[in-house]
Amino acid sequence: QKEVEQDPGPLSVPEGAIVSLNCTYSNSAFQYFMWYRQYSRKGPELLMYTYSSGNKEDGRFTAQVDKSSKYISLFIRDSQPSDSATYLCAMSPVRGGSYIPTFGRGTSLIVHP
Amino acid sequence: IAGITQAPTSQILAAGRRMTLRCTQDMRHNAMYWYRQDLGLGLRLIHYSNTAGTTGKGEVPDGYSVSRANTDDFPLTLASAVPSQTSVYFCASSDSGAAGPLPSGYGYTFGSGTRLTVV
């Protein structure tokens, strides 16, 4: 079992829908949680990051962490065709050892007009 | 524009040939990384460098070597390319390579990638 599991999709939704993207993990040492967005033929770009549990909101995006369930989510409200991309979750421990994050395999999202 | 520059953008390479993928950053980040991305396998770390003069092995280091002579450059070399090294290669950097509280700019900056085909 990989440390971070992410459904590859594709997830296809109509414009305006609320999108939920999720990752599960097994390493309880993870404290920092990140979401990256990757457009086709581009490198990933950091979308949001959160520390420990709780929610973080940025415009139409909300990142949620449930450490008790080892489950993180990214919600996209009022989804737009421009949100069509692959979304990768990533996680890393706080202290001790390297900060190199462990990435999920990515979920492909398609928002159709 | 601050960021990471990778070269070449794409390359077709004969098996057995030597190839160096170039990566340069202008953000003065201390840490740099090389990943390969394959369909269904996601991003896999090849090598990393927490600071100039040091390097470390990632998840899939075999067949690859790196050097970090200065802060800005982190080339990746394939000594003798094989078809299984066909992939998209991403260089990344961050200023969070050392242990301790993460700075406000936490996260990786990625380059646009090099598409390598080994035939």
Side-chain angles (χ1 to χ4, degrees), chain A residues 24 32 62 87 103 112:
Chain A
T24 60
Y32 278 81
T62 299
Y87 291 80
F103 282 87
H112 51 86

Side-chain angles (χ1 to χ4, degrees), chain B residues 17-103:
Chain B
R17 296 297 295 270
R18 180 184 179 89
M19 172 79 187
T20 295
L21 308 185
R22 300 185 298 279
C23 175
T24 300
Q25 55 114 349
D26 61 3
M27 297 168 287
R28 307 303 291 174
H29 284 171
N30 56 315
M32 297 187 75
Y33 315 85
W34 273 106
Y35 286 87
R36 59 178 291 174
Q37 188 176 41
D38 303 285
L39 193 64
L41 297 177
L43 286 166
R44 292 184 291 169
L45 182 66
I46 304 171
H47 285 287
Y48 66 94
S49 169
N50 282 335
T51 188
T54 69
T55 62
K57 294 182 179 180
E59 181 184 355
V60 289
D62 294 342
Y64 306 95
S65 64
V66 292
S67 62
R68 186 87 184 278
N70 56 61
T71 297
D72 300 338
D73 300 299
F74 191 44
L76 176 73
T77 297
L78 290 68
S80 178
V82 295
S84 62
Q85 292 177 310
T86 293
S87 185
V88 182
Y89 291 86
F90 288 103
C91 179
S93 71
S94 75
D95 59 0
S96 56
L102 297 181

